[in-house]
């Protein structure tokens, strides 16, 4: 069964460093998303991406964040200058249209630790 | 404002007992509703969804959920819980439009005792 994959599973970085989180969405999906989950808190939407453009972004997704689909298979989230509060589990998701709606399928997540 | 409330942070049930996890939502339009499950160290797995039609929806692993518009609820049920059902369960609303975001509840952690 096709699945969303994410690398790395765990990333440790120092405050102020740039990180790139990578995702490979399901191959025939056209919509891509990033969410994050700070430890003990709810899953929060960051950004959605379709047709090489951002469709929607949350207040969290400020100028420090960017997304890119550099080729036909990868979808990346870049944090330019990490802060301690960026420590969280980051989930990538992809979706397709199904029965009038859009089911989002999630990857296993990347745990980002900023020290 | 759009929101999802899962009133129970943690529930413990005995193996073989029935289960109901509560979810209430606030959404301006007819909602699309989802339940996801997260096992420790794993991603979010879609259990079931409601888009339209029959308000009782069946999902994987023997779960079902009922959409009640009058109560703004979408409670998840299972008639007989297995030890492997121990996990965190998230209710979510949204996804109506392309690129539409999901809004998640706080999650309910389910423990199963033998």
């Amino acid at each position: 069964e096709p699945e969303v994959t994410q690398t790395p599973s765990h990333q440790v970085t120092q405050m102020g460093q740039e990180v790139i989180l990578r995702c490979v969405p399901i191959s025939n999906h056209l919509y891509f998303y990033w969410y994050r989950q700070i430890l003990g808190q709810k899953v929060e939407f960051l950004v959605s991406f379709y047709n090489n453009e951002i469709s929607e972004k949350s207040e969290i997704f400020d100028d420090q964040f960017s997304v890119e689909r550099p080729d036909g298979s990868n979808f990346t989230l870049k944090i330019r200058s990490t802060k301690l509060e960026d420590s969280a589990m980051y989930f990538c998701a992809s979706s397709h249209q199904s029965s009038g709606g859009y089911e989002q399928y999630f990857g296993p997540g990347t745990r980002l630790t900023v020290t | 404002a759009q929101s999802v409330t899962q009133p129970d942070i943690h529930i413990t049930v005995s193996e073989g007992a029935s289960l109901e996890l509560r979810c209430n939502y606030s959404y301006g339009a007819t909602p699309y509703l989802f339940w996801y499950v997260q096992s420790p160290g794993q991603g979010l797995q879609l259990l079931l969804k409601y888009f339209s039609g029959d308000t009782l929806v069946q999902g994987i692993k023997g779960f079902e959920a009922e959409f009640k518009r009058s109560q703004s609820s979408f409670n998840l049920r299972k008639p007989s819980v297995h030890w492997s059902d121990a996990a965190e369960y998230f209710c979510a609303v949204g996804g109506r439009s392309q690129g539409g975001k999901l809004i998640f509840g706080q999650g309910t952690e389910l423990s199963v005792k033998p």
Side-chain angles (χ1 to χ4, degrees), chain A residues 19-68:
Chain A
V19 294
I20 297 176
L21 309 183
R22 301 179 194 280
C23 168
V24 178
I26 294 172
S27 63
N28 64 342
H29 287 187
L30 299 177
Y31 309 98
F32 314 115
Y33 312 81
W34 283 101
Y35 291 80
R36 79 172 185 190
Q37 184 182 29
I38 295 171
L39 190 63
Q41 298 186 24
K42 63 174 68 176
V43 177
E44 302 172 289
F45 169 79
L46 292 178
V47 66
S48 59
F49 191 85
Y50 169 73
N51 199 25
N52 281 321
E53 289 183 343
I54 289 175
S55 300
E56 185 176 358
K57 60 183 181 180
S58 71
E59 293 174 351
I60 304 166
F61 194 88
D62 61 21
D63 292 344
Q64 292 299 310
F65 292 87
S66 63
V67 289
E68 190 179 28

Side-chain angles (χ1 to χ4, degrees), chain A residues 102, chain B residues 27 31-34 51 92-97 100-103:
Chain A
Y102 296 84
Chain B
Y27 197 75
Y32 286 1
L33 294 155
F34 306 83
F51 288 161
V93 67
R96 286 188 63 86
S97 59
K101 65 185 178 188
L102 292 179
I103 299 164

